Amino acid sequence: MKVLVIGANGFLGRNLVRRYLELGWNVDCVYNDEKKFIPKQCKTYHISDLEKIKGSYVAIFLLSAFILYNDFETLDKRLNELSLGGNTSLA
């Protein structure tokens, strides 16, 4: 099974990622500035690359978001589309 964690490098995100990996799940991670706490076996995406994320996820966790004031509407809309997509393909 597969999950997406947005904010995977933060305190909550890194612990959630670690737990899902322990359970044998595939974990895709979205980060903002750094990805030093994201394990190498995870597929990573920078927050600016949300459009490149494709796949089906059992769950999407939005634990953190960095949203520029001048681009809030676009990014907020994309995050909502990902979150509301549920277990459907993001392709």
Side-chain angles (χ1 to χ4, degrees), residues 11-91:
F11 178 77
L12 294 174
R14 76 180 84 145
N15 284 290
L16 185 68
V17 167
R18 182 179 46 85
R19 182 63 181 136
Y20 272 101
L21 289 173
E22 288 171 356
L23 294 171
W25 289 46
N26 293 318
V27 182
D28 289 356
C29 299
V30 178
Y31 66 96
N32 181 25
D33 290 329
E34 298 181 19
K35 56 180 178 177
K36 66 182 179 182
F37 295 115
I38 300 174
K40 299 290 184 208
Q41 64 263 43
C42 296
K43 187 170 185 177
T44 59
Y45 299 92
H46 186 266
I47 191 73
S48 63
D49 295 329
L50 285 177
E51 294 297 324
K52 295 179 182 176
I53 299 174
K54 299 192 184 322
S56 293
Y57 296 96
V58 172
I60 297 174
F61 298 93
L62 176 56
L63 301 175
S64 179
F66 177 78
I67 300 172
L68 299 173
Y69 287 109
N70 62 351
D71 197 25
F72 179 79
E73 188 173 312
T74 302
L75 184 54
D76 187 48
K77 180 180 177 189
R78 180 65 178 144
L79 290 173
N80 281 326
E81 288 171 357
L82 286 172
S83 295
L84 297 175
N87 196 18
T88 60
S89 175
L90 298 177

